[in-house]
């Protein structure tokens, strides 16, 4: 990897001259009527608010959101947050960019996770579920998106490859936990873990920034997954020549549409099978472990034993007694 | 129609000898250990709890739930409800049964409503939506079920043909209300009114009794409708040779999955378009007018200005000052 | 109408020299300690935040909130909102002001709506309700306020004449919908539509700005309406010489106090009559159609298919696919 | 007082021959088809479910609900509740009835409380509030109802005179608590305590049984009180020749309509003045002390330290360690 | 084990003559005034409602609740539930009773689980937590109760040894899941799993029947655990001579008092550490797997794919397509 | 007291040169990159936001948060709030500071309150409760903290001595109210009033600023109080030689853990005794009277009859008609 200073490493008053990913650029007047350029600069470690004073329209037009840019300037602590005061911003040449600096997960990590996921799913013994999983695994377009998509806009696994990361983690939990409960069907739990968020590949747009697609906003990934499953079921039936039992398809769909666990979180139905109950709780566990770890680890305030208060969680998180 | 005494007409101490539809039969011991037969008897006007004392297993096996039976006995007011004490129950011969006595809606009513619905939908001017509606209208299996299905288990329009009755009523409301709001698209509102509950044809089982199907219980009609729409969209595209705009399909699906209006009622999404908001409120209006009217009209207590208290509504309903 | 540039038409960097309505003026120091004047300027199309740099106390005292002022300056896009940087502000002479520029509804619109409302209410056939409606219609002070009042502080119909606009719209809906439900009493629904928000004439202060009156804040229009109804009932009884049936008065009051539909929205009672249920839902429909249309139409961001996220609605609204 | 056995004193297997108040009578068939008479018998100490086996229609018609009847029979513990198996029931002669046996509060108690209430209210020093209170106190019809009415259907103070009992208790609390908070206006708090439930005189019907009136059900006592206050304010103004300050009337009305404290309990507004907050909490305190004391004292199960579970309270109450 | 017919094996119309555990006995009159004895009979497989007609007081006094009794009679299906009509009931002689018939868990099962729990806890490497766990493990009185207590009144693990069963299961989950999350402290999670319900040993009374103790009802096991932890912390400190870090004790207490996860379930605090979040979700998972499995497996209705509707779960559970 | 200008007395454009308590200091760059110092200055009457332009790091390091500083500068009204523009800030010499200027309550006030509290508690007649109270009263460390602690972070009694102030006020209410309810035990209510918030002495840190301690955040004062009570119960038992009845200790603990009244407010249990219900409501009354009075009295806007809107209260408060 390059010898850059990652965003998360930047301290107060550092001189910077390196490549960033640009987004959210705006040209705005200050209170004296002078224009300045405001934007976000990011790499795989995080993002930093940036201002370039005394900018003009040609500065504004010199690059697009989503471009890699070379930025010179200095950092400054402002109202408790680090910001960057830029002196120069220009579009980067391809040879100046190391893509690995901008991906939370490296290609080899993703490949390794994808291989492990395939291995886990190929361990499914129920023939119909096995065939169904296979139809997804061999769909290159789907898997291409599945391995690039994030698991969310923010909160947890919000990075390229985050969906795969989360789904694999959930499958590993399923492998560990299922054998402990004799009435729990491991194959159903695995296929549920694999498909529960699968329509996030189309619910979110994530080529560079992460945002909701129109369909994602209007239907949501749980409803969108219905069509994906219907299509793949037909494909699996064509492939094997055997119809998949309608009740089994129904259970798989139920796993998907009930996995948020409560109506208040957009679940169209409450979990009504053992596997649906387990999927909801294990999904919740994996998501919360990831997001709470991140909130604790990323907390910039080294003087408190607590993170800030998070309104959506209605609590602060305990970081532990700081060493002095 | 026959000269029978309908269930809703039966008073205290009436002698009865006529055909009913049987359901919920049970053979039970009383506290002295003697067996008696308990069942529900119904016709199109309602149902009445029935007991035959000193019954035995051959009485129990003489007919099935869902059979038409000839019953002799007498009515009795018990704990404020009318019940029937039967002396004899036997399976009816086909020539003794007038099916019209058991249908809330007559065949001609249903035909008339079906014709009017087709007329309304054929007034849709958007070519894609028109083609889509047509694909449903010409699907004889679908329309056969659509015209027989109830709109619910209880609460409102819970009778054969009730779904058609409710949907047509909603379409008529749409025709009246849409022109008053210039930004509201009448065609979208109509297709939404037509399809919002369409999967109730498979969510409910209603050949004689009404109950949920397994899929209805586990996925619900809003999610089940996704596949019906996907299939018919493909059909319409094949028919016309023109692809239907993806955003339009998305809006139709949104109309369906958001029509319960709030997460707490199993809506996967909140209504986000003018048509979705209007559909939710007009659906609510038509359902409440039907159910509240029925509760008021069916209230058996002629001595109070109020119906009983309904826990699911958290209120009594006002029937008006009774005349003395 | 005048050839002014309406607020809603102003783009970035436009020179302006015309009359506005002033409100919310403040004289404030900037961070260097220099004073500037901050105020809102509006016309019937909307309002714009305005600043005049290097102002002094005589600038501040040169006009009052609620005055028409002539303003010279230029527009500027700041943080996604248009603002006006003023060079000069002075009180306007009466001959410079065209009142029509400052009213959402023109006098002739209001007159027409008022006539139509009277016509609708004079179609009521129940003699007691007809007499009651008449007593309101001939009360010039009441009708004067009723035709000027807004229907709300914000959200929907928040402009002079908005109450009349909303009430008439609701009455027209009542005329369309009532005949479809045989147990629904059209006359009661109409009087409910007319009176449900009538105390907003005193709940809100709206001579120029819109705000709550003390009584509006402390009692609310539903409770305040009780006295208005009591007074007019007495008047109607005096007029006709016939007492109005106490149960009918009770039903009218119930229509008013239950029309928010749920306790959480300040309804003292849940709707217990068919008319009360219908009024709640039709009121909701008319309010939502107006407010959602306005949010969609006023959305300044032409680059998204969606409005911004509205916390009080817990959603974004779909504007449709923008044309490119 | 008479030497009767009060209902609360009746144990298992007691012979009874005395006067009761009859209500809820029904003639019903048992499972063998024989008729029996079921009714409630009560005196001031409580009520007891009663059955007379092998009854007929002339037994049923021999008295009306609300009549005093002489009953002979024996008590029996059935499913944890005492019941009375009657052998004979006949209407009582006036000379057999001692009204005092049927009133929770004796006439002298009520008179004493009414005098004390007048004394407290005549201590109000604000002239307008004093005049207003006086107008209620001298209204004989109002005070007649006010001293006879219960404070509720059940829960607390559900007996004739219960309203007066509760209101006086609340006024005494106000006298004790108000001096402790210098910003709290004792006169306003007192008038609020006096009037907060005043419309219960018409919300409830309580000549013998307690039930809601139509108006009580449909508008509720908080809304109904508005008219009572308006009428008495006019009267007080006529009496004194001085207009009462509109803001003061508004505050009094606010005290009444906000005294349930939360929207969920039918409060049209939340308490916005110190007096309204105090009234809500003191009312709550007095009601809960009365109802919880009664639940604990009336608990028939002497073998447990706990009362039964009360679903509306979501808890059992602690009675204390029983002595052995 | 004995060749008895277990309660769960009893079908309609079986002759029975064997030992049961008696509870809830009552002597009650039927509607004809004859007395009968009503009681619950149970063994380790479940319980059955029992009636003995024409009983008298000496029958009632022949045994106590909690006694083993020999019962002769026959089973009967009544209102969908099996009941037993007894002809004879007498106290059993010790030699007639095989205790193993009345324990869900056998002594050897419990011993095995207790040994495994000790093994798991002795694997804790943090010296302070290890010492603390040891102090509980060597407390014979505590462990005696801990291995006999149920985990709840009903819902899940409601049998003697159920607490140990649940806690061990949770510890095993912790051992599997903890290594997957690098920021999660396995030792803390284990001690939390061990102690989270530990005060249930005193919250519940479970010598034969299960019920709440007074302290359990009034304080709850989460609050009661505080004292147990304080006492054992002191003991561990005495034992090792080292004070336990106050922040560590605080985290352990936090694990206990927050493990219900939400205020609505009586959690005094929301989980604020990774371990507390994981404990809440894994506890939930283990409890739900146990209770849902039991509801599905115990469902007596073999004719439906669904269990009955459970109001506290707001759903039916799917049992799977029954084979025909 | 000194002749200083208290913060609450400062108007626009006043010259200031006096001692304040400093907190929340930050050195920040403005938009031109120049550094300024921002801090809060307070005395017993309130606090004021302060800025010193063109500051540097030695200004920043010249004093610590919590120090008394001498500040020279001038006030300015900015965005509706008073702020102070400082020219000079230096650490104060001890002889320049009058501690009384920084305490809401004077030492003599606190002493007087502490004496009255002891007097009230020594009036308890139940020997066990009397001994228990005494053990707290003679614990100098505890009483030292108890008389210095605030009752909260904000909302009510948020000043040194505020806990004592609130607890004494509650005890006085208990003395007034308890005699009115014959089943209410005054001694239990008094001990509950004394101890309900007692662990706030350790839940909050309040030597100069007020904040939560780690334990306060993680366990809360209700749970923390359990240990304090356990310890003092042991002490009282040692002292008197008599064991305190376990049920009595349980009731005292219940008073503490249930005093927030609802699960949503962190109550682990709902109040189940008369004393617990009364404590919850009286605590609520005393806290609301104090906080609402303060909000009304401190409201800086003299032009409105209303305070601002408080989101946590979901309302504005009425200040009364302002005099003109």
């Amino acid at each position: 990897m390059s010898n850059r200073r990652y965003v998360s490493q930047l301290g107060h008053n550092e001189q910077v001259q390196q490549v960033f990913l640009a987004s959210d650029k705006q040209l705005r007047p200050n209170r004296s009527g002078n224009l300045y350029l405001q934007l976000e600069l990011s790499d795989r470690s995080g993002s930093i608010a940036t201002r370039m004073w005394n900018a003009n329209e040609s500065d504004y037009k010199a690059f697009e959101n989503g471009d890699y840019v070379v930025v010179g300037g200095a950092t400054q602590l402002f109202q408790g947050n680090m910001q960057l005061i830029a002196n120069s911003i220009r579009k980067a040449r391809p040879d100046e960019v190391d893509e690995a600096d901008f991906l939370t997960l490296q290609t080899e990590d993703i490949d390794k996770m994808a291989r492990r996921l395939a291995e886990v799913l190929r361990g499914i013994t129920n023939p119909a579920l096995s065939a169904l999983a296979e139809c997804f695994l061999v769909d290159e377009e789907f898997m291409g998106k599945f391995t690039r998509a994030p698991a969310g806009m923010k909160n947890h696994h919000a990075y390229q490859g985050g969906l795969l990361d989360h789904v694999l983690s959930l499958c590993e939990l399923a492998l560990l936990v299922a054998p402990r409960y004799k009435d729990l069907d491991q194959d159903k739990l695995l296929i549920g873990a694999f498909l529960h968020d699968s329509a996030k590949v189309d619910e979110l747009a994530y080529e560079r920034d992460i945002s909701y697609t129109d369909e994602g906003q209007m239907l949501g990934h749980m409803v969108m997954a219905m069509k994906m499953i219907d299509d793949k079921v037909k494909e699996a039936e064509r492939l094997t020549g055997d119809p998949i039992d309608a009740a089994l398809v129904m259970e798989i769909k139920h796993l998907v549409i009930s996995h948020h666990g409560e109506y208040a979180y957009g679940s169209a139905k409450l979990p009504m099978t053992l596997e649906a109950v387990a999927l909801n709780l294990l999904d919740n566990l994996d998501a919360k472990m990831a997001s709470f770890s991140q909130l604790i680890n990323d907390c910039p305030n080294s003087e408190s034993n607590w993170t800030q208060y998070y309104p959506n969680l209605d609590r602060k998180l305990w970081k532990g007694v700081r060493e002095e």
Side-chain angles (χ1 to χ4, degrees), chain A residues 1-147:
Chain A
M1 244 167 284
S2 67
N3 62 350
R4 69 181 284 113
R5 293 286 289 170
Y6 286 101
V7 165
S8 63
Q9 298 170 320
L10 293 172
H12 184 49
N13 258 331
E14 284 197 38
Q15 295 301 316
V16 167
Q17 178 76 24
Q18 63 187 17
V19 176
F20 294 93
L21 181 62
S23 58
D24 274 348
K25 66 171 181 163
Q26 299 180 53
L27 189 64
R28 297 179 8 171
N30 69 3
R31 294 198 166 167
S32 322
N34 299 323
L35 295 172
Y36 66 92
L37 186 63
Q38 179 182 290
L39 71 164
E40 282 292 301
L41 294 178
S42 60
D43 59 24
R44 70 173 200 208
S45 75
S47 69
I48 184 168
T50 304
R51 281 194 174 85
M52 186 166 74
W53 305 114
N54 300 313
N56 57 34
E57 217 159 304
S58 74
D59 293 316
Y60 178 77
K61 292 189 173 157
F63 64 95
E64 292 301 312
N65 286 330
D67 278 351
Y68 291 114
V69 289
V70 177
V71 179
T75 59
Q76 204 175 59
L77 199 63
F78 179 63
Q79 299 189 353
N81 295 309
M82 203 60 71
Q83 69 174 17
L84 181 56
I85 304 300
N87 302 317
S88 65
I89 304 183
R90 70 165 169 80
K91 216 171 155 171
R93 292 187 315 274
D95 66 289
E96 292 174 310
V97 180
D98 182 347
E99 286 265 353
D101 290 342
F102 298 92
L103 296 172
T104 304
L105 291 167
Q106 302 307 309
T107 310
E108 51 267 47
D109 298 337
I110 288 181
D111 288 353
K112 200 172 141 197
M113 290 195 296
R115 280 195 306 275
R116 172 63 185 151
L117 178 67
E119 181 185 17
V120 168
L121 294 173
R122 280 166 185 148
I124 287 176
T125 58
N126 175 311
L129 295 181
S130 178
L132 182 64
E134 197 60 31
C135 287
F136 279 96
L137 288 171
V138 301
D139 178 340
E140 287 187 18
E141 187 194 338
F142 171 80
M143 287 306 291
K145 293 193 283 185
F146 191 79
T147 53

